[in-house]
Amino acid sequence: NIPFPAEQIFMRIFKRERVLEMWVRPAGQDTFALLKSYEICALSDKLGPKREQGDRQTPEGFYYIDDFNPRSGFHLSLHIDYPNRSDRVLGHDNLGGDIFIHGGCKTEGCLAVTDENIKEIYWLSVEARSAGQQRIPVHIFPTRLNDNNLAQLVNVFEKEPELIRFWSNLKPGYDYFAENKKLFDVTVNARGRYQYPKSDTLLGQPVVPAGAASDSAKGN
């Protein structure tokens, strides 16, 4: 019961759950609806952002599709604009690149789905671009960042406070879409932290372990 074709599409990816969600905003509506969920059959098993070339990590953060490759060696592929500004601030000198959503069910840091599923994802993306959507957002999270899951991450990764700060910085963006089904503009400050529109509707408070100062405490 979703009117189609959509005016916009948006992908949300959860690494631990190995799920790619395709959301669409039908013409004349201001909120997104979940069209379909796809299994991710290959990606990095380690949670956390990509910080250097060769770490075989799948990035985490807020990205866009910036290229289409119909002649990919992995059947079809969509290029993600990694490294973004946050990655360039927080990562090492040699960040690497060439991060794709593609078929083939094998990868060394990309996000792989089956050939049949990449056909659908690719077609939906081409249709959106043809309809005038210049940038297709892709939000990549370590897991569904609800309060319980973030608390679990804090417990498991208590000796890696920088990881927890990073995930806590992603949570307001996760919460805002989960609550409102609307997208939002994201900027990056000089410290590489994501910044969101100042709004009472932005939900979620950073969860930072004792002894690890938050960005708000240290300033921008």
Side-chain angles (χ1 to χ4, degrees), residues 35 63 88 98 119 156 176 185 192 195:
L35 180 68
Y63 300 93
R88 290 192 292 271
D98 290 336
K119 288 179 184 178
V156 173
Y176 180 82
D185 293 326
Q195 294 182 307

Side-chain angles (χ1 to χ4, degrees), residues 12 14 21 62 139 141 143-147 149 167 169-180 184 196 202-203:
R12 211 165 57 142
F14 302 104
E21 294 179 345
F62 301 102
H139 295 180
F141 298 103
T143 185
R144 297 185 186 276
L145 281 178
N146 55 47
D147 292 343
N149 284 349
W167 290 328
N169 182 224
L170 296 183
K171 183 169 169 50
Y174 169 86
D175 286 341
Y176 180 82
F177 184 82
E179 178 71 16
N180 298 284
F184 45 87
Y196 307 97
L202 272 177
L203 307 174

Side-chain angles (χ1 to χ4, degrees), residues 12-99:
R12 211 165 57 142
I13 292 168
F14 302 104
K15 290 167 66 175
R16 188 169 71 178
E17 290 82 357
R18 290 177 169 253
V19 169
L20 183 154
E21 294 179 345
M22 177 67 71
W23 292 77
V24 300
R25 183 174 67 79
Q29 297 186 19
D30 63 354
T31 57
F32 283 77
L34 179 61
L35 180 68
K36 190 170 181 178
S37 295
Y38 299 90
E39 178 187 2
I40 297 171
C41 49
L43 82 167
S44 168
D45 288 329
K46 184 179 178 182
L47 300 185
K50 183 175 180 63
R51 290 292 181 240
E52 62 182 329
Q53 186 174 21
D55 62 5
R56 298 189 175 184
Q57 276 290 86
T58 300
E60 295 173 7
F62 301 102
Y63 300 93
Y64 292 92
I65 298 297
D66 65 357
D67 198 16
F68 295 71
N69 185 4
R71 299 179 180 85
S72 169
F74 296 95
H75 192 53
L76 297 165
S77 64
L78 299 165
H79 188 262
I80 294 173
D81 69 333
Y82 168 88
N84 63 18
R85 185 182 176 192
S86 175
D87 299 318
R88 290 192 292 271
V89 173
L90 298 176
H92 298 283
D93 291 337
N94 192 354
L95 292 168
D98 290 336
I99 301 298

